Amino acid sequence: MPAFTDFNVDSLAELLAAEGYRPAHAQAILSLFHGQCGMIDLDKMSIPKPLRTLLRERIAERRSRVLLRNASRDGTVKLLVGLQSGGAVESVLMPTVVRSERAAGCVSSQIGCAMGCDFCASTKNGFERNLDAGEIVEQVLHLGKEASDSQRRLATIVFMGMGEPMLNLPNVMEAIRRISDRRTPGISRRSITVSTVGIVTGIDTLADSGLNVHLAVSLHAPDDATRAKIIPMNRRWDVASIVEATHRYQGITGRVPVIEYTMLDGLNDTEDQAHLLVKILGGMRAHINLIPYNSIGPGVSGAVYQAPPMERMEKFLQILRDAKFSAHFRVTRGDDVNAACGQLRLSVLS
Ligand code: SF4
């Protein structure tokens, strides 16, 4: 049976109309549903009684439930969300440091990941399946409930959890349409970021979709030889083609991209590599996030990584800033519950 998360206002209106009810009820029903983080008390709605019965018989409240909740000492909360269609994914809520009434959510787009990035736990057991749009929306609602329970508002969403969003783009885009639909409570597209390891065709499709969400590109190295050691997908799309696609995305959407760069000791952390990163990005307006590596044990290749010494990372950062890039270290959040970047799925595996 489908759940309310499997509908948008138009498809629910169609179902209601086909059953002889006013399509206008659809917006009221989904507004209540999304406004209450995925809970709906049909008895409190002023809708015809037979419609209530029909909704109960035909549409479930949810197709997922929170199986585990892990709270970090820094306020980050990781949820293990069990899916009725099989499997489980992790979703993370990170309270915003500067504005305590807000929180950011990180959602998964696939169970597992086929990309094989050597510093990431999500890929260690390979790829299981794509999530459908409703399963992605349900993660957002679980995170919204978690935020509201701590008197916060879920204000931003990043697609940086398990999986490569660009390889499940139709479902990711439909989920974005549902959570950002102006007819129901949700999240502005200005506050949504889709991350990719560099699937060029996906970047172009998202650029042309009109969704105008933010793009984060996981570059992690400025040259192909280094990047290919840690990201197998670099054999399909090299650094130059990814940077070109990022330029195109910025040109079409006007959004300033985020360049993600996980710092690995002795691999991608030299001053020469910082200068090369500046060179390949050219005059691009971009935010660069340097992410000190979060430990996951041996990677897919068996290699064990560690974060570079702080002094070296600071030098790297300074070179980027001297070149007038907006560059920052990403604050490590939730690493004590394996909720930090690259660590998702670690607790499921262990
Ligand atoms: S970093 Fe992203 S694309 Fe790479 S393996 Fe992990 S989840 Fe997949």
Side-chain angles (χ1 to χ4, degrees), residues 87-103:
V89 287
E90 292 180 322
S91 319
V92 180
L93 185 77
M94 297 155 286
T96 312
V97 179
V98 273
R99 296 179 65 181
S100 59
E101 79 286 5
R102 292 162 55 113

Side-chain angles (χ1 to χ4, degrees), residues 113 115-117 119-120 122-123 161-164 197:
C113 185
M115 295 295 92
C117 303
F119 48 84
C120 176
S122 297
T123 196
M162 264 194 242
E164 166 53 60
V197 77

Side-chain angles (χ1 to χ4, degrees), residues 56-287:
R56 283 202 182 99
E57 286 171 0
R58 300 273 293 272
I59 306 177
E61 199 173 65
R62 293 280 179 88
R63 290 196 293 125
S64 70
R65 67 191 176 95
V66 174
L67 300 177
L68 263 178
R69 179 186 180 277
N70 257 318
S72 158
R73 57 179 172 255
D74 66 21
T76 299
V77 176
K78 183 170 73 167
L79 303 178
L80 180 67
V81 178
L83 306 165
Q84 212 174 69
S85 311
V89 287
E90 292 180 322
S91 319
V92 180
L93 185 77
M94 297 155 286
T96 312
V97 179
V98 273
R99 296 179 65 181
S100 59
E101 79 286 5
R102 292 162 55 113
C106 175
V107 294
S108 297
S109 55
Q110 299 179 316
I111 303 183
C113 185
M115 295 295 92
C117 303
D118 212 24
F119 48 84
C120 176
S122 297
T123 196
K124 278 189 172 190
N125 268 10
F127 169 73
E128 282 179 39
R129 70 171 173 91
N130 282 333
L131 300 186
D132 64 36
E135 289 172 324
I136 297 171
V137 174
E138 296 214 3
Q139 292 175 69
V140 174
L141 295 176
H142 287 304
L143 292 172
K145 169 83 171 52
E146 183 64 43
S148 110
D149 286 350
S150 55
Q151 285 71 53
R152 292 189 163 95
R153 182 173 66 82
L154 181 62
T156 58
I157 285 290
V158 293
F159 284 79
M160 291 185 187
M162 264 194 242
E164 166 53 60
M166 298 298 185
L167 295 182
N168 186 17
L169 206 45
N171 284 312
V172 166
M173 292 199 301
E174 179 53 28
I176 290 171
R177 286 189 196 98
R178 288 182 202 166
I179 62 175
S180 64
D181 189 334
R182 290 207 179 119
R183 296 169 292 180
T184 52
I187 293 173
S188 155
R189 290 181 186 172
R190 281 197 314 263
S191 303
I192 297 174
T193 300
V194 176
S195 169
T196 179
V197 77
I199 309 293
V200 165
T201 45
I203 295 173
D204 287 334
T205 303
L206 189 62
D208 293 335
S209 70
L211 287 175
N212 260 35
V213 292
H214 289 279
L215 175 74
V217 176
S218 297
L219 201 59
H220 305 308
D223 63 281
D224 290 318
T226 308
R227 197 167 190 270
K229 282 185 199 160
I230 47 175
I231 302 178
M233 184 46 82
N234 200 73
R235 286 192 281 274
R236 175 72 179 84
W237 284 292
D238 62 11
V239 170
S241 62
I242 294 167
V243 171
E244 277 167 29
T246 308
H247 268 293
R248 285 196 295 278
Y249 192 90
Q250 185 167 33
I252 292 171
T253 64
R255 298 288 190 211
V256 177
V258 177
I259 304 295
E260 307 279 0
Y261 197 102
T262 297
M263 301 219 65
L264 302 164
D265 187 29
L267 200 106
N268 62 0
D269 57 350
T270 67
E271 292 181 28
D272 283 350
Q273 284 164 317
H275 287 296
L276 186 56
L277 182 58
V278 168
K279 189 172 164 206
I280 61 155
L281 292 179
M284 185 192 292
R285 244 186 99 211
H287 299 295

